[in-house]
Amino acid sequence: MSNEDRITQGSCRCGQVQLKVRGRPVMTFACHCTGCQKMTASAFSLSSLFPEDAFEWSGLEPVIGGLHGDLRHFFCPHCLSWMFTRFDAMGPFVNVRSTMLDEAQAFTPFIETCTSEKLPWAQTPARHSYPQFPPMEDFPKLMAEFAAQGG
């Protein structure tokens, strides 16, 4: 099976929303912003960025929580697990919370963002760190490097 054919399943905590992604992500992240800290009740959030057409959900209709603007966070309406984010400025991609996917350990963060807000003891194995969100013009280079190392 090629990486493009790989199917990874996942779900919210209660299992009433199922997630499915095809292929490998185009990037993986750890975000240290205080918003992610509050929404996860942890030191950072973990995300895997997939093309829109490689992502599916089924089951209960996700609801928007957190921010309600260009950045939209989707939650299970029953258990309120934060499952994925859509951000129009990123283009046709879906930012799936890596821990919602089966085999979450396979989605090691490649970059970490908002390190200016990180808790001093929080560490990740990310190869690149940004004090804020990376400039959009950096993404093609980062995605190419991520793909070259096997994603």
Side-chain angles (χ1 to χ4, degrees), residues 2 6 14 24-25 35 37-39 41 47 49 55 66 75 81 86-88 90 97 112-113 119 122 125 129 138:
S2 73
R6 179 188 172 107
C14 72
R24 301 293 300 155
Q37 291 174 22
K38 289 178 184 224
M39 286 185 19
S47 302
L49 189 65
F55 170 76
F75 294 77
S81 295
R86 296 182 191 273
F87 181 42
D88 296 336
M90 288 290 297
R97 301 279 78 69
E112 59 182 350
T113 63
L119 298 173
S129 294
D138 285 8

Side-chain angles (χ1 to χ4, degrees), residues 3 24-29 106-112 125-128 140-151:
N3 274 343
R24 301 293 300 155
V26 296
M27 182 83 65
T28 54
F29 302 80
F107 299 97
T108 304
F110 181 69
I111 68 171
E112 59 182 350
R127 296 186 93 174
H128 299 279
K141 174 185 66 141
L142 289 166
M143 287 192 276
E145 183 182 341
F146 182 77
Q149 74 164 17

Side-chain angles (χ1 to χ4, degrees), residues 21-26 48-52 54 92-94 96 101 107:
V21 292
R22 284 185 313 284
R24 301 293 300 155
V26 296
S48 295
L49 189 65
F50 286 91
E52 175 79 35
F93 295 100
V94 177
V96 179
L101 298 172
F107 299 97

Side-chain angles (χ1 to χ4, degrees), residues 6-134:
R6 179 188 172 107
I7 301 289
T8 303
Q9 306 276 346
S11 70
C12 62
R13 183 165 185 178
C14 72
Q16 293 189 60
V17 179
Q18 296 80 44
L19 306 175
K20 185 188 321 184
V21 292
R22 284 185 313 284
R24 301 293 300 155
V26 296
M27 182 83 65
T28 54
F29 302 80
C31 182
H32 295 276
C33 79
T34 55
C36 283
Q37 291 174 22
K38 289 178 184 224
M39 286 185 19
T40 61
S42 186
F44 47 81
S45 69
L46 296 172
S47 302
S48 295
L49 189 65
F50 286 91
E52 175 79 35
D53 62 359
F55 170 76
E56 298 176 33
W57 63 266
S58 60
L60 296 179
E61 177 86 23
V63 297
I64 296 176
L67 298 176
H68 294 254
D70 291 338
L71 190 65
R72 296 176 318 279
H73 303 299
F74 290 84
F75 294 77
C76 168
H78 183 74
C79 67
L80 300 177
S81 295
W82 179 22
M83 301 177 299
F84 59 95
T85 298
R86 296 182 191 273
F87 181 42
D88 296 336
M90 288 290 297
F93 295 100
V94 177
N95 202 11
V96 179
R97 301 279 78 69
S98 303
T99 50
M100 296 294 113
L101 298 172
D102 299 343
E103 306 168 30
Q105 69 277 8
F107 299 97
T108 304
F110 181 69
I111 68 171
E112 59 182 350
T113 63
C114 300
T115 58
S116 63
E117 300 175 45
K118 81 180 212 172
L119 298 173
W121 49 262
Q123 301 295 319
T124 77
R127 296 186 93 174
H128 299 279
S129 294
Y130 290 86
Q132 299 304 317
F133 200 73

